[in-house]
Amino acid sequence: MKKGYPFTDRTIPSLSGVEIGRVYSEALLYNIKRLSQLCGHILKGRISDPLKIILTSLILTVISANNVTGQISQVGYNSAYVSNAKTIVLNKPSGVVAGDIMIVTITKNRNADVSLTGWDAIQAYLGGNNSRRAAVLYRIAEDIDLGVTSYTFSIGNNSDACGAIVAYTGADGFDVSPVSITAPTASGTSVTPTGITTHTPGALVLMLGMSYSTGGTTPPLRTFEGWSVATSPVLNEYYDIGSSYYSVGAATGIQACPGETGIGTITVSGTAYLGGIILALKPRVDTWWTGSNGTDWNDGLNWSNGIPGSTSNVLIPSCSTNQPVVSASGTANCNSLLIGTGASLTVEPTAQMTVTTSLTNNGSLNLESEGTGTASLMVGSYSGNDANIKLSLSPSYWHY
């Protein structure tokens, strides 16, 4: 970095893989005269009072990240409808890679289960009648799936069916083992799936709905009108697909901290035989911050699975009032780091931290310094919110 780099520029380029704390402190020192003049100070000779300059909207560097460790995101979905068929074909969402989780929801008629080798399945009768069926199937993508363009599910002879397939990346399977589809024996305009209790911060809660319309030979299509749980999180509809008698839908939300969702409620536009289930996907992390014993990063009691190491994928949620601090002269290492919304991480003066691959800051990152030392942060890539960088100049030294 050349001296005199203008801080009027919004971004300092090519900082991936550098010691952000030290480099930026150096840049601040090069430009301190200009900044001090803006603040009404002239730095000539000895400073009479300590000067602290805190920059709170400095963009370190922003790098796009489609698959952030600790953060689950949707890959995409596809749907299909068939009539008088033995199978239903669902195209694999584009972009699925090994380790992603794929989930299928199907509503159909006829007395036959939905099946496909290699997929786990949950089956249910809608309205207590075995000729009205709902099924949820799921699979963790493997290398063999990379060459697959579609999946063909058996639905029984002469069946009508509506189905959808959705894929998620960044998930380490289910946070709560799937149990059963809630399916009342009577028709109605709502169904209340059984609530679950998540175990990991940042779990993705997924509510799936199935509808089989009642009425004449061509009843009106039932659309999904509302999705909610009694406690948290807030759910947003992801898809609502149907044709004639049959429809399937989904809604999702992120459960920031472990806990109960409470009972769910799905409402539809008219009377139908209904089914619903609440699932939770686990973020792909090795250890996450609990703050059970204070704020010290290097205290194993503050982590769900021990102090992070250089290969650890780490999540800092906002669940604890004790947010992590890498203490002065301390060290911290991890492979990847996600600072969740409302969470924070502070690296004190002379502390050193290395994040080998990616640091995603959805909360607050604080890099501190004092007259005798600065925080050091080494990252492979950085994305998210601006970091807060603090520079303190001692009154005991000359500054130019």
Side-chain angles (χ1 to χ4, degrees), residues 22-340:
R22 290 177 178 170
V23 169
Y24 275 94
S25 294
E26 183 183 8
L28 286 169
L29 286 170
Y30 292 149
N31 291 274
I32 195 67
K33 183 174 181 179
R34 179 180 177 185
L35 288 170
S36 65
Q37 288 171 342
L38 294 175
C39 296
H41 296 274
I42 301 296
L43 296 184
K44 290 183 178 179
R46 190 179 297 272
I47 302 174
S48 57
D49 296 304
L51 174 63
K52 294 184 178 180
I53 298 175
I54 302 176
L55 303 180
T56 57
S57 295
L58 179 61
I59 300 176
L60 299 180
T61 182
V62 178
I63 296 176
S64 175
N66 293 324
N67 185 6
V68 177
T69 298
Q71 187 167 287
I72 301 170
S73 57
Q74 298 157 345
V75 176
Y77 77 91
N78 285 310
S79 62
Y81 174 79
V82 295
S83 179
N84 195 30
K86 295 181 179 180
T87 61
I88 183 170
V89 178
L90 293 169
N91 292 330
K92 184 185 74 178
S94 177
V96 169
V97 299
D100 291 351
I101 186 167
M102 298 177 289
I103 301 173
V104 167
T105 311
I106 292 175
T107 302
K108 62 175 288 293
N109 65 357
R110 305 300 182 199
N111 182 18
D113 286 341
V114 181
S115 63
L116 176 60
T117 301
W119 291 71
D120 293 305
I122 304 169
Q123 315 277 350
Y125 298 164
L126 300 182
N129 189 320
N130 64 9
S131 65
R132 296 186 290 260
R133 295 293 194 105
V136 172
L137 303 95
Y138 51 91
R139 172 180 172 82
I140 305 296
E142 301 176 358
D143 289 339
I144 193 173
D145 292 282
L146 302 183
V148 174
T149 58
S150 64
Y151 299 97
T152 302
F153 296 88
S154 173
I155 57 175
N157 293 331
N158 305 317
S159 293
D160 301 338
C162 174
I165 180 172
V166 60
Y168 290 92
T169 193
D172 188 18
F174 289 102
D175 193 54
V176 181
S177 296
V179 182
S180 61
I181 297 169
T182 299
T185 56
S187 62
T189 58
S190 66
V191 60
T192 54
T194 303
I196 60 175
T197 300
T198 61
H199 306 294
T200 309
L204 184 139
V205 174
L206 172 64
M207 185 184 288
L208 301 173
M210 314 97 198
S211 171
Y212 187 118
S213 299
T214 60
T217 56
T218 56
L221 174 66
R222 304 311 188 200
T223 57
F224 292 93
E225 301 291 310
W227 306 85
S228 65
V229 290
T231 306
S232 66
V234 174
L235 300 178
N236 296 300
E237 184 172 273
Y238 185 37
Y239 63 76
D240 180 356
I241 299 159
S243 180
S244 184
Y245 286 89
Y246 319 100
S247 56
V248 293
T252 65
I254 298 296
Q255 184 86 312
C257 299
E260 297 180 359
T261 63
I263 194 169
T265 302
I266 303 171
T267 58
V268 295
S269 58
T271 303
Y273 297 105
L274 301 172
I277 188 171
I278 301 176
L279 305 174
L281 305 184
K282 179 183 178 181
R284 190 175 293 140
V285 295
D286 298 309
T287 188
W288 50 271
W289 177 261
T290 65
S292 301
N293 199 45
T295 63
D296 184 5
W297 174 286
N298 287 304
D299 182 347
L301 296 178
N302 286 324
W303 295 97
S304 66
N305 191 31
I307 301 169
S310 60
T311 61
S312 300
N313 299 312
V314 178
L315 169 64
I316 301 174
S318 61
C319 308
S320 172
T321 55
N322 295 325
Q323 290 292 289
V325 175
V326 184
S327 301
S329 301
T331 60
N333 300 279
C334 60
N335 180 58
S336 66
L337 175 62
L338 171 64
I339 304 173

